């Protein structure tokens, strides 16, 4: 009974609950176990091997010491494929040239010519010996193949914005050179200088003023009287100012010069 309980420990019911044998064959009822792979409830035959089976070879060690993959000498008398001469590819350039010299022009005639003639390319060593091939160039002993390392980035020039300053200087010099090379269009007439055109070219200097002249013009420093007087007499003027002072408490504003305050009653 204890063994049966252990089988249902990692199922949906756990220790308690209704336990059925079909739950052990259903993947949904299975629960993960610590440090173990989750089962998928698949049953395999007892003699089944997963993957590729390794066959035992008793001659593996002698084969490892016999070096069968090494090239065999020509006088060894072996009939392996390593001793067979390598067949060179066809020389279609020579075939086409000789076919044209012989007068074969159609596709069928070229096919018959290639069936009767078999031109093969010469091996590289034969071409070098005969002088037809190019001589092989030997690299120096201290030569390094591949891509060279990129020089290190000058960090002090990046911090000082050297590349930006160089680019701006090149742009300015290029614009000046293009402007000097561009011919100027002749003007039909000389334009007149106005105040607006002068202000576009340069700013006029400001006049120096003293603190006294900024508030009062020189001709009004001694006597400054208004030319328009709406009061009929001095008595009417003084009476108007007295009424204005009396109504100041009923007006809005910090100095009593605004509108009348509306009544809250």
């Amino acid at each position: 009974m204890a063994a049966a309980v252990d089988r249902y420990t990692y199922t949906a019911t756990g220790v308690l609950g209704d336990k059925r044998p079909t739950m052990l064959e259903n993947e949904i009822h299975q629960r993960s176990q610590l440090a173990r792979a989750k089962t998928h409830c698949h049953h395999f035959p007892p003699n089944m091997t997963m993957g590729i089976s390794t066959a035992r070879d008793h001659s593996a060690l002698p084969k490892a010491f016999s070096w069968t993959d090494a090239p065999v000498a020509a006088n060894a008398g072996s009939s392996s494929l390593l001793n067979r001469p390598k067949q060179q590819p066809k020389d279609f350039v020579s075939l086409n040239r000789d076919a044209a010299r012989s007068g074969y022009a159609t596709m069928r005639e070229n096919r018959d010519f290639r069936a009767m003639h078999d031109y093969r390319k010469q091996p590289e060593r034969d071409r070098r010996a005969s002088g037809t091939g190019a001589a092989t160039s030997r690299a120096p002993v201290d030569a390094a193949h591949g891509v060279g390392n990129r020089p290190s980035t000058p960090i002090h020039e990046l911090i000082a914005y050297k590349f930006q300053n160089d680019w701006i200087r090149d742009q300015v010099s290029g614009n000046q050179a293009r402007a000097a090379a561009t011919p100027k269009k002749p003007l039909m007439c000389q334009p007149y200088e106005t105040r607006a055109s002068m202000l576009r070219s340069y700013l006029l200097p400001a006049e120096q003023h003293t603190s006294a002249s900024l508030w009062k013009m020189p001709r009004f420093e001694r006597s400054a009287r208004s030319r328009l007087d709406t009061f009929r007499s001095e008595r009417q003027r003084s009476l108007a100012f007295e009424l204005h002072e009396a109504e100041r408490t009923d007006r809005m504003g910090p100095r009593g010069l605004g509108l009348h305050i509306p009544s809250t009653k």
Side-chain angles (χ1 to χ4, degrees), residues 36 52 89 150 180 197:
R36 292 189 62 182
I52 301 175
R150 187 176 62 88
S197 63

Side-chain angles (χ1 to χ4, degrees), residues 13-29:
T13 60
V15 180
L16 301 176
D18 188 11
K19 302 175 179 59
R20 301 181 302 277
T22 55
M23 298 176 61
L24 301 175
E25 300 177 359
N26 192 349
E27 184 181 353
I28 300 177
H29 294 286

